[in-house]
Amino acid sequence: MILGTEGMLLMLFDMQNLATIVRKPKKSTQISEDYTILIPISSRPIFPELYEQIKDKKEKIIIVDDSKGNENMIDYVKGLKKEGFKVVRRNIIGFKWNALRFALRYVKTKYVVFLDDDTVVEKGKDFNVLAGELEEADADLCSVNVYAYNKDLI
């Protein structure tokens, strides 16, 4: 079997993910407040599990309203604003990554964490530690292992 460039890159990413499962993670002692979390929403509210994890970090979060006037989401977005979340609205039709790119103009921090509205972060994990680990490693980019919340979707 002959692999193209894309196939080789995917194979390398798979090997990297395998290595992270086997390798013991290094514990960081550094924390950083220099991060912003971007969460795009379009047709559904933020999962309750994620909401519980972010509700105390409102000053670090920008919600990107990409609902395009979806009737079901208007009151929900108004509620997020009343709770103190910063919400920016995009009035053009596009994809999630376009919404995130749009929201980058509002980011004033060194690091950006992209979360989906259905992301569930492991309990006890702190974004301050993630930003600190990035700072300590002098990294520009990181990725995480993704585990399906609903195994039936795989």
Side-chain angles (χ1 to χ4, degrees), residues 53 119-126 147:
Q53 294 168 320
T119 301
V120 178
V121 180
E122 188 178 339
K123 286 186 181 1
K125 299 298 180 183
D126 195 340
Y147 302 99

Side-chain angles (χ1 to χ4, degrees), residues 40 66 90 94-104 114 116:
D66 204 27
R90 223 170 64 102
F95 296 102
K96 173 176 52 176
W97 286 108
N98 291 333
L100 292 171
R101 191 175 322 131
F102 165 81
L104 284 173
F114 296 116
D116 286 332

Side-chain angles (χ1 to χ4, degrees), residues 21-70:
I21 293 169
V22 175
R23 178 179 63 216
K24 291 234 183 244
K26 180 182 137 195
K27 297 289 184 192
S28 177
T29 56
Q30 188 169 340
I31 64 168
S32 174
E33 292 284 332
D34 199 11
Y35 69 92
T36 300
I37 299 171
L38 295 181
I39 305 173
I41 59 171
S42 59
S43 60
R44 64 181 178 204
I46 295 170
F47 269 31
E49 295 90 343
L50 177 60
Y51 179 82
E52 285 301 313
Q53 294 168 320
I54 65 170
K55 67 182 180 183
D56 297 329
K57 298 173 177 54
K58 292 179 182 102
E59 73 284 350
K60 295 284 187 192
I61 296 172
I62 299 174
I63 307 285
V64 188
D65 176 11
D66 204 27
S67 64
K68 298 157 199 73
N70 178 334

